[in-house]
Structure formats: structure tokens, C-alpha cells
Amino acid sequence: MLIGLDIGGTKVEGVIVSPHDSQVVHRLRVDTPKTNYAAFLAAIKQVINTLLQKETIQSIGIGCCGSIERATGKMQGANILYLNGQDFLGDLRSSYSIPIALTNDANCLAISEFESGAAREAKGSCLAVILGTGCGGGVVINGNIVDGEHGLGGEIGHNPLPHYAPEIDGPQELCYCGSMNCNESFVSGTGFERTWALKHSPRTAKQIFAAYSEGDEQAIKHVEYYCDCLARILGNIVNIIDPEVIVLGGGVSNQDAIYPLVQQKLSHYTFSKKVSTPVVKAMHGDSSGVLGAAFLPLMKGMIE
Ligand SMILES: [Zn+2]
């Protein structure tokens, strides 16, 4: 059996998953400590210890914000701020004798969908993109998650929007990361609302999609614009890695209207105009974090 942990800013979810059928056999949730790293580490160990008592466990996989700096092994870029600069993985490994691995939540989406979700038919590759508050991505190549040299593999949210033109995409937008016109500023759920508000009075993504399904002309134009941005981004990635499947997760991915539009526009932005890479909705929803985390050590060959 595998342990998977999904560590978020407010909750930590821990599960035991069967590697054979991806069934979750135990699940528990605790609040993420707000105060400091020592309290955080104690809470994480408590979750792991509770799960370890329930089954024979082969490995522990962790999905967490941020990444591990390869040179130092320390956490960086985590929005649980006290985690940054800590040797979180090292501290866990010194407490347990089974293999432990850690990656970010977008990579967990890619792993869970590749192993047992919408990309399970793929032989070796998929791209997963989270369209939520932010925009993250994960890439599986040759059946393995691509972490990259700096832990940046799949971070397509912070590439610049392809074919950016101010008359179509609005004025330049500075991202919190320091770059201009990041994809995230256009295709995250937040970006969807931001670009709407450049032309109309502010509305939530849900309100805009509701108006779309009622045939509202401005909403239809905006959803088409959004899907064009997404197709530009995905087309760019197809030209680099040409994955078998593209899986979308996060809040906006629940809007069925986007799929035929993105699918139809995708080949406008690829080198070959015959590209028909399926763009599909993630299957695991909120469970993708824990499932992907659980399968991480298996995918990395740390266990058999
Ligand atoms: Zn950025």
C-alpha cells in the first residue's frame, strides 16, 4: 500500500492507496498549522504515523506547494511561507525508513491522471494543466514525471502568453513572479475574470459561464477569447513535447464548454495543422493531489 499526502495552505490530507486499483482505503484530514515549521512537521508526522498503523506501507509520496532546490535540498517558492529554506524532505527521511518523495500539486495532477485517470490509455506521455486560482502544469515523458534541473518542469503558467498583442489581449500585465504577460494572468480562473474586467464590469467566472450558456453575446466572445489563449499556450507546448494527451484540471476545467473550442483552435498554433491531441477533463478532481503524491515514489522507481 502507498501513502499519499496533499499539503495545502489550509488542510493536509493523507490517504492510503492501493497501487493496483488506485482505491483510497483510508483517508484523514487535519488543519495546516499556521504558526511555524516545528508545529507543521509535528502535524505531518502525526498524519503519517496514524496511517502507518493501519496497513503495511511501501512508500510515502507528498504533494506540496513550492519545490526543492537541488543544490541545498531546501524548500523554495512555497506559499506556506515558513516552509521556505527548510529541509522538509530530509527531516522526514530521517524519521522513516521507507522511500519518501515530494513534488508539487500540478505534477501530482499529471501523475494521477497518467496512472489511473483521463490519460491512463497513454503509453508514456501527457501534459496536465491546472486552471485554478493560478496556472500550473506537469509533464510526464516516457512514463516519468519531469521535475527538471531546477524543479521547474511543467511550469507553463509563467511562460509569456504566445502571440500576445495589446489590441487583443489588453495592456501588458506584470505577474507576481516578476515577468510580464505570464500565461497565468490570462488562463487561470483569476485571469479569466481579469481579462473580462478589461472590457466589461467585473463578474465572477461562474457568472460569465452562466451568461455564456444563456447565449449572452459578450460572454460567448469572452469564452472564445479565453479558449484561444489556452490553445496558443497548449499549441506551443505541443511543438516542444507533443504529448499523447492534454488533461485540464482546476476550477475552469469543470466548464464543459471550453473543450470543443480549445480542441478546434489547437491546431491553429501547432507546426503541423493536422494535430488532434485530445484535450480532456481530469477525472480525479480534488483527489488528484493525494493520488498523484501516492504514486510518485512508484513512478520514480523508488519502489517496485
Ligand atoms: Zn509569472
Side-chain angles (χ1 to χ4, degrees):
M1 291 290 193
L2 314 171
I3 286 181
L5 258 63
D6 182 11
I7 299 173
T10 53
K11 292 263 182 237
V12 175
E13 183 175 14
V15 297
I16 296 178
V17 179
S18 159
H20 307 295
D21 56 9
S22 301
Q23 287 304 305
V24 172
V25 294
H26 293 283
R27 187 187 295 269
L28 68 106
R29 286 192 186 92
V30 298
D31 290 337
T32 308
K34 295 272 175 269
T35 47
N36 62 67
Y37 178 65
F40 171 82
L41 191 60
I44 298 299
K45 285 185 184 175
Q46 180 74 48
V47 171
I48 293 173
N49 293 342
T50 306
L51 293 171
L52 283 173
Q53 284 163 13
K54 295 185 185 296
E55 304 276 350
T56 305
I57 301 295
Q58 288 176 275
S59 62
I60 301 168
I62 296 172
C64 187
C65 53
S67 62
I68 294 174
E69 192 184 4
R70 192 166 278 200
T72 62
K74 293 184 175 171
M75 296 291 297
Q76 58 181 3
N79 58 18
I80 302 172
L81 295 176
Y82 57 68
L83 258 179
N84 293 315
Q86 301 289 349
D87 185 8
F88 176 38
L89 192 55
D91 289 338
L92 285 180
R93 283 180 172 160
S94 64
S95 302
Y96 301 100
S97 56
I98 51 176
I100 308 178
L102 181 148
T103 195
N104 67 43
D105 42 356
N107 283 352
C108 285
L109 173 70
I111 295 167
S112 66
E113 295 299 327
F114 180 79
E115 289 290 344
S116 65
R120 66 188 180 285
E121 303 289 332
K123 290 183 198 75
S125 64
C126 78
L127 165 70
V129 182
I130 296 183
L131 307 168
T133 312
C135 172
V139 173
V140 172
I141 301 274
N142 295 331
N144 209 338
I145 192 75
V146 178
D147 284 318
E149 275 305 296
H150 306 89
L152 294 179
E155 289 293 350
I156 66 172
H158 299 276
N159 279 1
L161 180 72
H163 305 279
Y164 166 80
E167 61 276 19
I168 296 168
D169 302 300
Q172 297 217 62
E173 179 71 6
L174 178 64
C175 180
Y176 72 87
C177 76
S179 296
M180 249 346 159
N181 298 335
C182 284
N183 288 333
E184 177 167 296
S185 302
F186 297 86
V187 297
S188 64
T190 319
F192 179 78
E193 293 171 354
R194 184 191 74 83
T195 49
W196 167 272
L198 292 175
K199 297 172 202 152
H200 315 288
S201 55
R203 285 168 118 179
T204 65
K206 272 197 179 139
Q207 288 170 332
I208 300 164
F209 277 107
Y212 173 90
S213 50
E214 285 160 13
D216 178 277
E217 207 171 303
Q218 290 177 339
I220 290 173
K221 265 197 184 143
H222 189 63
V223 170
E224 282 182 354
Y225 164 70
Y226 173 85
C227 292
D228 185 71
C229 288
L230 198 49
R232 292 186 231 169
I233 294 164
L234 299 177
N236 242 251
I237 308 299
V238 167
N239 279 354
I240 301 168
I241 60 170
D242 202 356
E244 290 164 76
V245 189
I246 298 170
V247 183
L248 305 182
V252 184
S253 76
N254 293 318
Q255 301 293 341
D256 292 334
I258 66 172
Y259 293 91
L261 291 170
V262 173
Q263 195 77 65
Q264 176 220 329
K265 292 169 189 285
L266 180 64
S267 61
H268 298 188
Y269 299 108
T270 51
F271 180 39
S272 161
K273 305 305 171 198
K274 291 179 186 161
V275 162
S276 58
T277 314
V279 181
V280 297
K281 193 196 292 190
M283 272 178 59
H284 289 309
D286 290 343
S287 292
S288 67
V290 281
L291 285 179
F295 277 97
L296 175 65
L298 194 62
M299 187 177 252
K300 283 180 165 291
M302 296 167 80
I303 56 169
E304 305 231 317

